[in-house]
Amino acid sequence: EQIIRPAIDSGMIVLCDRFIDSSRVYQGVTGNIEKGLMASIERVAINGMMPDLSLFLDLDAETGLHRAAARR
């Protein structure tokens, strides 16, 4: 409501590295949150703001773990 919606409303293109898809996976699927509850949380959290496009970048686990360890 403070950053994304005003930018979209002014005609800007907004790129996010996390949005509804990541929440669905991390909290919904791996967190075992019931689908109906997850849908209710999403409705409140995004207030109708859905992405026009989602990109999923696939990285093998070994490379991902190596990169994560290098950030520590």
Side-chain angles (χ1 to χ4, degrees), residues 10-38:
S10 73
M12 296 178 74
I13 295 173
V14 176
L15 301 176
C16 298
D17 67 340
R18 301 277 189 278
F19 201 65
I20 195 169
D21 298 314
S22 58
S23 296
R24 284 179 175 165
V25 171
Y26 295 126
Q27 283 78 38
V29 177
T30 62
N32 294 318
I33 294 178
E34 189 268 323
K35 285 184 179 187
L37 175 58
M38 194 66 207

Side-chain angles (χ1 to χ4, degrees), residues 4-68:
I4 295 174
R5 189 173 305 277
I8 295 293
D9 289 346
S10 73
M12 296 178 74
I13 295 173
V14 176
L15 301 176
C16 298
D17 67 340
R18 301 277 189 278
F19 201 65
I20 195 169
D21 298 314
S22 58
S23 296
R24 284 179 175 165
V25 171
Y26 295 126
Q27 283 78 38
V29 177
T30 62
N32 294 318
I33 294 178
E34 189 268 323
K35 285 184 179 187
L37 175 58
M38 194 66 207
S40 295
I41 293 169
E42 289 173 354
R43 237 182 341 275
V44 171
I46 64 170
N47 193 19
M49 182 65 59
M50 288 295 289
D52 292 324
L53 175 69
S54 291
L55 301 175
F56 298 90
L57 306 178
D58 189 18
L59 184 67
D60 67 87
E62 184 177 333
T63 303
L65 290 170
H66 178 72
R67 290 180 182 180

